[in-house]
Amino acid sequence: ETGVTQSPTHLIKTRGQQVTLRCSSQSGHNTVSWYQQALGQGPQFIFQYYREEENGRGNFPPRFSGLQFPNYSSELNVNALELDDSALYLCASSSRGIYGYTFGSGTRLTVV
Amino acid sequence: SQQGEEDPQALSIQEGENATMNCSYKTSINNLQWYRQNSGRGLVHLILIRSNEREKHSGRLRVTLDTSKKSSSLLITASRAADTASYFCATAPMVDAGNKLTFGGGTRVLVKP
């Protein structure tokens, strides 16, 4: 059984650029969630995807968008990057109706 | 915004001692979960306690939940240096909002050998 895999591990982008982060779900999991974790804080819910549709969204602007693919992998896209977008981005998968998430190791995004 | 508040923010203990951390939350929940995070990497799920449960054990971990006080505690017994990490509580809402978790700010635990 594979876990949750995220890529890339680290990324440096310039303000105003766009970025795509990727996540492969754990085998058997059909729900993917994305979280943003600023340094020294707890993770903040961005959004969740279930059956390729957005299924809940946190307090993040529309420039944060996502996709889920038929194989349940997912992408997080952020447009017009701002300095405050610098954070650890965590992907988590689960089986709908079964609580308890499996998290990936995260992508550390630095915006300069 | 974060639902949970964790106390203390940081904890330093000697190996072999017990570590206790607390979490308070604001709204009704379906369940509460505890996670561990090492060095700012991925979160590891430790234990889940449902709103109709009061206490749960898993190895050296003991979790309590008091829904009347909207609070939970995590006890790590006989701590080891490898327990050094940040610990987060996370709540799942009563109403199904896609299993969204709301995390607290975390407790940073240092276990000294």
Side-chain angles (χ1 to χ4, degrees):
Chain A
E1 177 177 284
T2 59
V4 175
T5 305
Q6 291 188 243
S7 62
T9 306
H10 295 85
L11 199 54
I12 299 175
K13 288 286 190 177
T14 302
R15 189 171 49 183
Q17 284 187 314
Q18 177 267 342
V19 69
T20 298
L21 310 182
R22 295 180 173 82
C23 171
S24 294
S25 305
Q26 178 167 314
S27 177
H29 286 181
N30 55 18
T31 301
V32 174
S33 302
W34 286 90
Y35 290 80
Q36 180 196 66
Q37 186 179 21
L39 196 62
Q41 297 183 20
Q44 298 277 327
F45 176 74
I46 302 175
F47 44 56
Q48 183 180 86
Y49 279 82
Y50 170 65
R51 290 187 175 177
E52 302 176 51
E53 291 191 3
E54 189 177 287
N55 179 46
R57 187 178 184 92
N59 189 26
F60 281 82
R63 59 190 185 84
F64 285 77
S65 63
L67 286 171
Q68 185 183 30
F69 300 100
N71 65 355
Y72 304 127
S73 64
S74 177
E75 287 182 355
L76 165 65
N77 299 290
V78 187
N79 294 322
L81 284 167
E82 301 176 359
L83 297 180
D84 285 348
D85 295 334
S86 295
L88 180 68
Y89 288 84
L90 294 162
C91 170
S93 71
S94 64
S95 292
R96 188 170 176 83
I98 299 175
Y99 299 98
Y101 284 73
T102 301
F103 278 82
S105 296
T107 294
R108 174 74 63 186
L109 173 65
T110 302
V111 183
V112 298
Chain B
S1 63
Q2 297 189 305
Q3 148 117 293
E5 295 292 333
E6 293 179 65
D7 171 58
Q9 291 187 340
L11 183 59
S12 180
I13 56 174
Q14 292 294 138
E15 205 166 26
E17 292 180 338
N18 295 342
T20 300
M21 58 210 84
N22 304 295
C23 167
S24 61
Y25 57 91
K26 299 173 184 173
T27 61
S28 296
I29 61 171
N30 179 291
N31 66 78
L32 185 145
Q33 304 174 32
W34 286 90
Y35 287 83
R36 184 184 74 228
Q37 186 177 41
N38 292 85
S39 302
R41 300 309 294 177
L43 296 160
V44 175
H45 181 262
L46 295 176
I47 196 165
L48 180 153
I49 186 165
R50 300 189 187 281
S51 60
N52 61 353
E53 298 176 308
R54 292 297 167 257
E55 187 171 313
K56 205 161 182 180
H57 297 253
S58 176
R60 294 184 295 113
L61 305 179
R62 172 178 169 256
V63 168
T64 63
L65 179 64
D66 186 336
T67 53
S68 67
K69 295 181 180 178
K70 291 187 168 59
S71 67
S72 174
S73 68
L74 171 66
L75 168 67
I76 305 172
T77 61
S79 63
R80 306 165 182 169
D83 295 329
T84 294
S86 291
Y87 292 82
F88 294 90
C89 68
T91 55
M94 180 64 73
V95 176
D96 184 6
N99 294 347
K100 162 190 171 180
L101 292 179
T102 303
F103 284 84
T107 294
R108 287 141 195 85
V109 176
L110 172 64
V111 182
K112 294 179 282 187

